[in-house]
Amino acid sequence: LYVLANEPSVALFRLQEHVRRSLPELAQHKSDMQNWEEQSQGAIYTVEYACSAIKNMTDSSVYFKSIDSLLKHAIAMKDQLNSAQAR
């Protein structure tokens, strides 16, 4: 009985039985992990895109300051024109 229980063909049968039982669960886990990886890659892309947009906004602060000074200058000129027309 001991020899029969430890025979290589019985061991292979046990391995095959184990694989047959555990394979569907492992395949499901693999599928779940692939889905999570896709979602993670999408989230990483979104975060990188947002960081890039924020960096571009901070880099454009020079242009906003220039626009602000030009608008203040234009308002001052308009006030001067209005006061000249009022005379």
Side-chain angles (χ1 to χ4, degrees):
L1 189 61
Y2 178 77
V3 171
L4 288 176
N6 291 316
E7 186 179 356
S9 62
V10 174
L12 292 175
F13 173 76
R14 297 278 186 220
L15 282 172
Q16 178 186 15
E17 193 177 54
H18 173 71
V19 168
R20 189 177 304 139
R21 271 189 269 133
S22 63
L23 189 63
E25 184 178 346
L26 288 174
Q28 182 62 41
H29 285 306
K30 180 182 177 185
S31 175
D32 291 343
M33 292 300 284
Q34 286 173 338
N35 289 336
W36 290 341
E37 181 184 13
E38 289 173 8
Q39 290 174 356
S40 298
Q41 290 297 326
I44 289 169
Y45 175 77
T46 302
V47 168
E48 287 176 350
Y49 185 74
C51 289
S52 171
I54 290 171
K55 183 183 179 306
N56 289 336
M57 288 175 69
T58 57
D59 290 344
S60 65
S61 66
V62 174
Y63 303 112
F64 286 121
K65 289 177 184 176
S66 174
I67 291 169
D68 184 48
S69 67
L70 289 171
L71 284 172
K72 287 178 182 177
H73 183 68
I75 290 169
M77 294 289 282
K78 178 65 176 163
D79 288 342
Q80 286 179 358
L81 286 173
N82 287 342
S83 66
Q85 284 177 351
R87 291 185 198 165

